[in-house]
Amino acid sequence: MSDPKGHGGGSFCGRTRREMLWETGGGFASVALTALLGREGFLARQAVAADGVTPFVNPMAAKPAPGPAKAKSVIFLFMYGGPSHVDTFDHKPKLYGLDGKTIQVKTFGRGGKRNEGRVVGPKWSFKKYGECGKPISDLFPNLGTCADDMAFIHSMYAESPIHGSAMLMMNSGRILSGNPCLGSWVTYGLGSENENLPGFVVMLDHSGGPISGAKNWSSGYMPAAYQGTVLRAHDVPIHDLALPDGTDEATRRRLLDRLREKNQEHHAERSDNSELAARIASYELAFKMQRSAPEAADFRSESAETRSLYGIDRAETADFGRKCLLARRLVERGVRFVQIYSGGSHGDANWDAHNDLVENHSKHAGATDRPIAGLIKDLKRRGLLDETLIVWGGEFGRQPVAEYEKGTGRDHNSFGFTMWLAGGGIKGGTSVGATDEIGGAAVEDRCHVKNLHATVLHQLGLDPNGLSYFYGGLHQKLVGVEGAEPIRQLI
């Protein structure tokens, strides 16, 4: 295995109260302790450490970044299923002339390992945008206008070409479940500045969640305080949050106070159980969020021009546009980490273009191009882009050759793919690394997923090789015990 601390020539280049895990189709499965509970005296009366003496330390208290921080928050735009890099941002002119020809090329995807394949030429033209002259596919005409704010990593690679394990790798740095995800590491390292909303928010596609579900926003072996909370970008951001009919806030407050007393008695002998503490705290967090969550998702104060900028006034872009606008409103309110999924469920409900590439990518790019460009432009004009780091990408890319004897579908490709970043101190208008001339594998300044994670942590003022959590006899790290360096060319 290559050296994870470098990123050249074959190396790994790469609260407020925040705590509620909403599982798809369910309710509050678990909600962690919150900052205001401590401020209001709940934790002081209720919890000490397992020794019965040591005072409880609220895990979600805001913490200063240990190093220089360019970004305060992160918005991760996850294109679930694996967008084709050679049809989006990685221009490969040679592929056009090879369309339909069988060539020698090593691939490894859902269909196994192969040594040759029929080339599928790119199905869209590319045009140069911005002062940087970056070639971008006609799939993204709106994002093209933001080229000078975007930094492209064309040499990403990972271990797994299978959705489940590749999703876990992109989210948690491991191909196996049970590990904290990126959002959990960020809130563990920095806490939350928000007092009424979760510090780590997830928004799923309207078609459903991704494979492995809540494992992708799990806090793993960390306390439940750091897991993600699923919100919805409409008038009911969280189901079952409204007051029952005939109940007012004063009545609910008295009920919760009595319930808290009984829960304190039960938890007194179980203070080391973070899941139990999370469930107890969920009642209090839900009470506070009955006001704050609907307000954050209420777009009536947004101008018609802003709603149009995100594509909310168009049927094909309205859903993802609402999610992007909500993400901006959340980071404005101090939410630390927001992850938005484009694509869910299975088949062509996501970017997994095994059959008709044109139909698949036209659908998903058409739904996301305007909203994402709107997000970048809106953050920029509000002075928020410099302190908000945007990450775009999927769990892997796609092969330059066809998966089947007929058709334009491409299989998975973890040997080389593209991701991009914007804002948060990232050097816009730059490109790092390269795949080979047909986009089959990363060959120049290869960047592993761990280096992407290291870059995110670094921009937030966290040391990716110093941030650790002791578990299983090791000081565990998002970037692994072997470590990984940020992608310096982007900073």
Side-chain angles (χ1 to χ4, degrees):
M1 185 173 290
S2 50
D3 177 10
K5 289 196 175 183
H7 49 83
S11 63
F12 267 134
C13 176
R15 208 162 154 118
T16 114
R17 325 179 223 207
R18 78 125 252 53
E19 4 287 41
M20 162 184 59
L21 173 61
W22 177 284
E23 293 182 347
T24 303
F28 289 106
S30 178
V31 183
L33 296 170
T34 66
L36 280 185
L37 291 179
R39 184 175 301 177
E40 294 164 359
F42 174 63
L43 293 175
R45 297 192 302 269
Q46 168 256 1
V48 292
D51 60 9
V53 176
T54 306
F56 181 87
V57 177
N58 177 21
M60 291 311 301
K63 308 168 189 173
K70 295 293 186 180
K72 293 182 178 179
S73 56
V74 177
I75 299 176
F76 193 154
L77 305 169
F78 203 113
M79 307 295 110
Y80 166 51
S84 171
H85 50 294
V86 298
D87 293 286
T88 54
F89 300 108
D90 193 3
H91 189 212
K92 297 297 178 184
K94 184 175 181 178
L95 275 181
Y96 291 94
L98 292 175
D99 187 37
K101 297 181 180 179
T102 298
I103 63 171
Q104 298 294 313
V105 57
K106 291 184 180 297
T107 60
F108 181 27
R110 185 179 69 170
K113 295 183 178 181
R114 299 178 180 177
N115 294 315
E116 68 174 23
R118 172 176 58 86
V119 173
V120 175
K123 298 306 176 186
W124 293 270
S125 298
F126 281 67
K127 185 172 70 174
K128 292 183 179 181
Y129 286 91
E131 294 182 6
C132 63
K134 175 64 183 175
I136 293 177
S137 164
D138 288 346
L139 275 172
F140 294 105
N142 291 287
L143 267 175
T145 64
C146 304
D148 289 333
D149 294 310
M150 303 159 68
F152 299 86
I153 313 167
H154 291 305
S155 52
M156 292 293 304
Y157 75 99
E159 279 86 19
S160 175
I162 306 302
H163 289 297
S165 51
M167 288 282 292
L168 292 174
M169 169 62 75
M170 186 58 70
N171 278 314
S172 72
R174 304 288 192 280
I175 61 174
L176 299 177
S177 61
N179 298 283
C181 63
L182 176 58
S184 297
W185 280 101
V186 170
T187 50
Y188 164 66
L190 296 175
S192 177
E193 296 179 348
N194 181 275
E195 296 188 348
N196 299 285
L197 292 166
F200 172 19
V201 166
V202 178
M203 287 183 266
L204 303 178
D205 191 84
H206 62 86
S207 64
I211 192 169
S212 300
K215 292 180 180 179
N216 290 292
W217 51 92
S218 168
S219 58
Y221 47 73
M222 288 183 182
Y226 306 113
Q227 59 199 4
T229 301
V230 175
L231 297 188
R232 295 163 178 82
H234 52 64
D235 292 339
V236 186
I238 300 176
H239 289 181
D240 304 319
L241 193 64
L243 286 169
D245 291 339
T247 303
D248 56 26
E249 285 192 10
T251 301
R252 174 54 63 90
R253 181 69 269 169
R254 289 195 299 271
L255 173 63
L256 289 176
D257 288 344
R258 179 58 176 161
L259 183 61
R260 182 174 61 188
E261 292 173 6
K262 304 305 292 183
N263 282 332
Q264 286 176 216
E265 295 176 6
H266 181 69
H267 189 258
E269 298 179 0
R270 303 168 179 84
S271 58
D272 59 344
N273 187 332
S274 72
E275 292 290 342
L276 175 59
R279 285 180 171 85
I280 294 172
S282 69
Y283 297 106
E284 192 73 18
L285 177 60
F287 179 78
K288 300 294 183 181
M289 289 182 65
Q290 283 173 333
R291 288 181 176 176
S292 53
E295 184 277 332
D298 185 353
F299 299 160
R300 286 177 295 182
S301 62
E302 301 290 343
S303 68
E305 183 273 334
T306 295
R307 292 194 293 270
S308 179
L309 181 66
Y310 284 86
I312 294 174
D313 57 347
R314 303 181 180 210
E316 68 274 17
T317 55
D319 182 73
F320 201 78
R322 290 185 66 86
K323 292 181 174 71
C324 288
L325 178 53
L326 179 55
R328 189 219 82 201
R329 291 173 64 87
L330 290 174
V331 298
E332 277 183 319
R333 287 157 174 76
V335 172
R336 188 75 72 181
F337 195 99
V338 180
Q339 187 174 48
I340 309 175
Y341 282 90
S342 165
S345 187
H346 301 287
D348 284 328
N350 57 57
W351 293 78
D352 198 19
H354 287 284
N355 297 296
D356 190 331
L357 177 72
V358 174
E359 179 181 359
N360 178 284
H361 276 33
S362 294
K363 172 185 176 181
H364 295 293
T368 60
D369 173 43
R370 182 178 294 273
I372 297 173
L375 174 64
I376 295 174
K377 293 174 181 178
D378 199 19
L379 287 170
K380 189 173 183 179
R381 69 185 183 180
R382 292 170 181 269
L384 292 171
L385 186 60
D386 288 342
E387 61 186 46
T388 305
L389 177 62
I390 300 175
V391 181
W392 180 98
E395 61 268 42
F396 39 56
R398 308 206 79 81
Q399 296 173 10
V401 294
E403 182 172 4
Y404 303 120
E405 182 180 354
K406 297 181 179 180
T408 60
R410 303 185 189 275
D411 203 349
H412 311 161
N413 183 7
S414 61
F415 291 163
F417 56 100
T418 292
M419 298 186 73
W420 60 258
L421 295 84
I426 293 298
K427 189 186 302 181
T430 61
S431 295
V432 174
T435 51
D436 57 50
E437 60 184 358
I438 61 171
V443 294
E444 178 184 322
D445 285 337
R446 299 175 71 227
C447 298
H448 191 271
V449 172
K450 292 179 185 295
N451 297 100
L452 174 70
H453 291 163
T455 304
V456 172
L457 295 181
H458 178 273
Q459 295 307 96
L460 290 165
L462 296 166
D463 178 1
N465 297 299
L467 182 66
S468 66
Y469 187 91
F470 191 75
Y471 173 77
L474 291 173
H475 288 282
Q476 305 282 355
K477 302 174 185 177
L478 173 63
V479 295
V481 294
E482 69 275 15
E485 290 299 312
I487 307 171
R488 301 287 180 183
Q489 300 99 310
L490 300 181
I491 301 171

